[in-house]
Amino acid sequence: MITESPLLDSPEGQLPGTSPNGGPIQSAITYEKIPTHIYADAKDASRAVAHEIADLIRQKQSEDKPCILGLATGSSPKTVYAELIRMHREEGLSFRNVVSFNLDEYYPMEPDSLQSYVRFMKEQLFDHVDMPAGNYHLPDGTVGVDKVGEFARQYEAEIEAAGGLDFQLLGIGGNGHIGFNEPGSLINSHTRLMMLDNSTRAAASVDFGGLPKTPRKAITMGVSSILGARRVVLLAWGERKAPVIRGAVEGLVTELNPASYLQTHPNALFVIDEAAASELTRMKTPWLVDSVEWDNKMKKKAVTYLSLALSKPVLKLTDRDYNDNGMSDLLAQYGQAYDINIDVFNQLQHTITGWPGGKPNADDTNRPERASPAKKRCLIFSPHPDDDIISMGGTFQRLVDQGHEVHVGYQTSGNIAVADDEALRFADYVVDFNSKFGIKSPEATRIFQDAAASLREKKDSEMDTAEVRYVKGLIRMGEAKSTCRFVGVPVDRAHFMNMPFYETGTVAKKPLSEDDIQITMALIEEVKPQQIYAAGDLADPHGTHKVCLDAILEAVRRLKQSDATPENFMKDCWVWLYRGAWAEWDIHEIEMAVPMSPDQVMKKRLGIFKHQSQKDGVVYQGTDSREFWQRAEERNRATAGLYNRLGLAEYEAMEAFVRWRF
């Protein structure tokens, strides 16, 4: 259903959406059934939400009333809490009148466990503000199973006795859950013990060291409890949330997507970043909701969308196809369909190249990369030790085969993704090796014995010892070196950066620091590349890939600005972004597509196999049970399939890149 929608006033600095020219999208019509504010990134969005909460706290203080907040956990609200802490420290925002009730807690769960939401809230907010300890409440993960019902009724009664929730902060699960109200939850549900959906457990398994260790149950406030709040704000970051956000905002109210229940709330708001908004109609097909600026980027987006939606090659699209699908303005600006089709087809054709480093002695007018210099220095940044081969293994191999000087910067150790038994096996091998060849190494024996004891006695609430983390890091390092040898890169061109933000021993990482940026700058200055390849995977804005990318882009910015003279090597350095194992660039965004033959696909698979610790039972499997080589091959074949459906040549597989411009 399409409804008229008045424009909503936005707080200062808010971007209610972004048009091709950077201005706000002001839609005349909307498919959206919940007010939705879209921001350029999660930081700006979090800042706006934190300021709304702060204003509410101050208002209640002026009225000499308590401020009753419903709080959420997970990665989404972290930046909100960080901004609230900043305002407390720098602006004097007091939390003495705040009373809070958290949404949920895993069951069973000790409050001091690493994964406990009690611990999370203390670390992320409570321990850093002046909120009295008796003022915050969380579901009790230690209550006996026979007393959960009584506890749940008491929790509801405490919220009611406090006067009800003034403000409820929410995240959203990949299956649409709010709190732990999984699909199937009724709109009139109250606080209760909930069996967790398998997809929820798989997503949470990264925090618990694998699916077997992940709780199957949780205590959660019910949908009715959430809808009882006077104000509800839901946060969502990253493209993995995009499909479920579209269902909640534009779809029917259904128990299959519990977040859709918020359509019934009179004062609910979704605050999301552009990646999470990417499937909304006003972002995916903006010409259907309002006039758009038909620049080349929008034209290419519209034509490829139309071709795929109608299952017609680009060159077969007709004037009627354009007119019947809301693109008459495009025809009016650029002429008949034939001319538009030829132009977009040629643009797509020009993105395809078997020479990712540039084809020597060739006219590069319509090629994605420069012909000169014929032999380039290429620096591939790999956030984890296997991202280079998983995400761009075919391109990696072509660059080496075509004579370019390829370096790889392995940004993190990847140590937390190694299973405990792998670390024990590796340490055991070292001891046996020394014994076999008569090498006396008491230190190696001690490390093995300490590691073995630590792994046997480690509780879920404890992290690996420094020695165990180092052993796990050595395993990943050895696998990365093996991949380099397999591709043909000398091991001395494999640079292990060990960026400090990653080395916490837990899934939660430290913020990007100046040390991380300086390490990145130093490697770029050492290699002096003409090409940089970096992971542009933004599926998780708080994830390792995003932090690693932020470090690279900041390093490049500084180096490009540091010396404006012609001798500055950075003026000739191009940055190409690849994606991770789960998603690919949209077809209209791709600026370089590197095709692979069946033999090249197989060789890439064998290169991925060098990372043996990541095969046959990955620690952080996520919701996708396939191995990384299977995910990568499906993604690469799907990209080739899209080009073929648009009417271009059929290839076995393709790797895709987008150029980042300073």
Side-chain angles (χ1 to χ4, degrees):
M1 174 176 149
I2 301 176
T3 57
E4 295 294 327
S5 175
L7 298 179
L8 299 174
D9 291 332
S10 302
E12 183 179 354
Q14 181 172 306
L15 301 174
T18 309
S19 70
N21 63 4
I25 292 177
Q26 298 186 342
S27 304
I29 55 176
T30 181
Y31 292 73
E32 298 166 16
K33 303 169 186 176
I34 300 176
T36 303
H37 291 172
I38 304 170
Y39 288 78
D41 57 47
K43 289 183 179 179
D44 289 340
S46 297
R47 192 175 299 114
V49 174
H51 281 249
E52 178 177 339
I53 294 172
D55 289 344
L56 178 62
I57 293 172
R58 292 187 179 108
Q59 176 193 331
K60 291 291 185 176
Q61 287 171 351
S62 69
E63 298 169 357
D64 198 24
K65 295 179 180 178
C67 181
I68 315 301
L69 301 180
L71 299 179
T73 51
S75 62
S76 297
K78 283 184 177 180
T79 39
V80 174
Y81 297 149
E83 177 64 10
L84 288 171
I85 293 170
R86 186 201 64 79
M87 285 191 282
H88 169 69
R89 291 174 174 171
E90 299 179 11
E91 300 176 12
L93 175 65
S94 175
F95 286 75
R96 297 197 63 80
N97 70 318
V98 173
V99 177
S100 71
F101 294 86
N102 263 73
L103 280 167
D104 43 34
E105 176 62 284
Y106 291 109
Y107 185 86
M109 180 60 62
E110 294 294 330
D112 62 344
S113 293
L114 286 175
Q115 303 86 3
S116 163
Y117 286 162
V118 173
R119 182 169 182 161
F120 175 95
M121 290 305 304
K122 287 183 176 181
E123 291 177 350
Q124 299 296 324
L125 181 64
F126 297 155
D127 286 350
H128 307 283
V129 296
D130 61 341
M131 186 173 172
N135 281 19
Y136 54 79
H137 308 80
L138 295 94
D140 186 355
T142 67
V143 67
V145 67
D146 58 329
K147 296 183 179 179
V148 170
E150 178 185 344
F151 172 82
R153 288 187 292 273
Q154 181 62 32
Y155 201 68
E156 295 270 353
E158 290 179 1
I159 294 174
E160 185 176 352
L165 299 174
D166 294 310
F167 183 102
Q168 177 64 64
L169 187 65
L170 295 175
I172 182 172
N175 60 5
H177 73 230
I178 47 178
F180 276 131
N181 292 285
E182 301 285 19
S185 296
L186 300 179
I187 195 169
N188 61 352
S189 59
H190 293 279
T191 301
R192 67 204 186 283
L193 186 64
M194 186 80 194
M195 184 68 69
L196 298 179
D197 186 81
N198 187 66
S199 64
T200 299
R201 294 183 64 239
S205 65
V206 298
D207 296 322
F208 288 90
L211 192 61
K213 298 180 181 179
T214 305
R216 297 180 179 274
K217 300 177 183 179
I219 299 174
T220 182
M221 285 170 54
V223 176
S224 178
S225 313
I226 292 168
L227 294 178
R230 287 177 278 278
R231 170 70 161 168
V232 179
V233 174
L234 183 145
L235 312 174
W237 323 131
E239 63 188 12
R240 293 187 193 177
K241 300 294 178 69
V244 75
I245 287 293
R246 180 172 184 173
V249 172
E250 297 186 354
L252 299 173
V253 175
T254 171
E255 73 278 4
L256 300 180
N257 185 343
S260 67
Y261 287 135
L262 295 175
Q263 292 181 25
T264 68
H265 195 282
N267 193 21
L269 173 69
F270 278 39
V271 176
I272 60 181
D273 64 4
E274 289 182 354
S278 59
E279 290 293 320
L280 293 179
T281 301
R282 64 163 143 155
M283 301 296 283
K284 190 169 185 176
T285 53
W287 52 87
L288 295 180
V289 298
D290 203 356
S291 299
V292 299
E293 181 181 337
W294 286 110
D295 59 10
N296 186 68
K297 181 179 179 181
M298 186 65 72
K299 176 176 68 172
K300 188 177 177 184
K301 178 177 183 176
V303 174
T304 53
Y305 168 83
L306 184 62
S307 172
L308 296 172
L310 299 181
S311 297
K312 294 177 70 172
V314 169
L315 294 178
K316 288 188 176 182
L317 296 174
T318 65
D319 286 352
R320 182 171 180 176
D321 292 330
Y322 284 89
N323 284 321
D324 288 351
N325 290 277
M327 301 181 194
S328 57
D329 289 350
L330 179 58
L331 289 177
Q333 182 168 334
Y334 288 100
Q336 60 182 336
Y338 177 83
D339 296 326
I340 298 172
N341 296 346
I342 289 290
D343 179 34
V344 172
F345 181 88
N346 286 337
Q347 290 187 54
L348 291 167
Q349 181 71 53
H350 294 156
T351 65
I352 302 173
T353 180
W355 298 84
K359 187 173 184 179
N361 306 313
D363 181 3
D364 59 11
T365 304
N366 292 316
R367 293 181 179 274
E369 248 297 350
R370 305 147 291 173
S372 179
K375 305 299 182 185
K376 294 182 175 66
R377 288 184 302 278
C378 308
L379 175 55
I380 299 172
F381 281 106
S382 183
H384 300 95
D386 54 359
D387 285 313
D388 53 345
I389 192 69
I390 290 172
S391 298
M392 55 169 290
T395 305
F396 187 2
Q397 188 68 64
R398 277 185 185 265
L399 290 169
V400 173
D401 291 346
Q402 291 167 1
H404 301 287
E405 182 185 317
V406 179
H407 295 252
V408 186
Y410 295 103
Q411 294 173 274
T412 71
S413 67
N415 54 20
I416 66 167
V418 176
D420 290 347
D421 58 345
E422 280 290 306
L424 198 57
R425 182 170 67 90
F426 186 83
D428 196 16
Y429 169 81
V430 172
V431 174
D432 289 345
F433 181 92
N434 290 345
S435 175
K436 177 68 176 178
F437 292 98
I439 302 172
K440 295 182 179 180
S441 180
E443 186 65 12
T445 302
R446 183 195 65 78
I447 290 174
F448 166 71
Q449 292 173 341
D450 289 350
S454 172
L455 293 172
R456 278 195 304 268
E457 300 169 3
K458 187 179 71 172
K459 299 178 181 178
D460 290 343
S461 60
E462 297 174 342
M463 67 179 69
D464 287 332
T465 63
E467 289 85 358
V468 170
R469 294 201 302 273
Y470 187 70
V471 168
K472 290 182 175 182
L474 285 177
I475 292 172
R476 301 300 306 271
M477 181 186 296
E479 293 169 344
K481 289 179 179 179
S482 180
T483 296
C484 285
R485 284 190 289 265
F486 178 79
V487 174
V489 172
V491 173
D492 61 1
R493 293 183 189 168
H495 309 270
F496 296 93
M497 301 165 65
N498 293 317
M499 292 172 67
F501 85 88
Y502 184 88
E503 299 302 325
T504 63
T506 67
V507 174
K509 306 305 178 191
K510 292 181 287 189
L512 183 68
S513 70
E514 182 63 23
D515 288 344
D516 297 305
I517 297 169
Q518 290 297 327
I519 289 170
T520 307
M521 290 176 64
L523 180 57
I524 295 174
E525 289 182 294
E526 177 185 342
V527 176
K528 293 182 170 55
Q530 282 96 17
Q531 276 190 330
I532 288 175
Y533 290 88
D537 190 345
L538 308 182
D540 179 4
H542 300 287
T544 297
H545 282 214
K546 179 60 167 61
V547 179
C548 287
L549 179 62
D550 288 343
I552 295 166
L553 299 186
E554 179 59 25
V556 170
R557 287 189 187 97
R558 294 188 189 183
L559 290 170
K560 280 185 175 289
Q561 293 173 333
S562 65
D563 186 359
T565 65
E567 291 76 22
N568 183 6
F569 69 92
M570 286 303 296
K571 71 182 181 66
D572 294 321
C573 181
W574 286 15
V575 178
W576 291 100
L577 303 180
Y578 61 84
R579 300 302 297 272
W582 291 269
E584 187 56 276
W585 299 107
D586 286 339
I587 191 72
H588 68 276
E589 297 176 309
I590 296 172
E591 296 181 76
M592 181 166 69
V594 181
M596 291 186 288
S597 69
D599 287 345
Q600 289 168 327
V601 171
M602 179 56 67
K603 185 166 186 180
K604 174 177 175 175
R605 183 191 300 182
L606 295 176
I608 296 173
F609 284 176
K610 298 299 180 183
H611 293 268
Q612 295 179 5
S613 70
Q614 303 304 294
K615 275 186 56 58
D616 305 324
V618 181
V619 174
Y620 301 125
Q621 188 72 55
T623 57
D624 192 332
S625 61
R626 297 171 300 165
E627 292 191 24
F628 288 122
W629 68 268
Q630 294 173 308
R631 305 180 202 185
E633 286 185 17
E634 182 191 60
R635 187 197 69 181
N636 296 156
R637 288 193 172 102
T639 302
L642 286 177
Y643 271 88
N644 186 234
R645 288 171 59 192
L646 293 169
L648 289 99
E650 183 175 4
Y651 294 96
E652 178 68 12
M654 280 179 163
E655 293 173 341
F657 302 85
V658 168
R659 186 180 164 201
W660 179 78
R661 290 167 171 81
F662 176 67

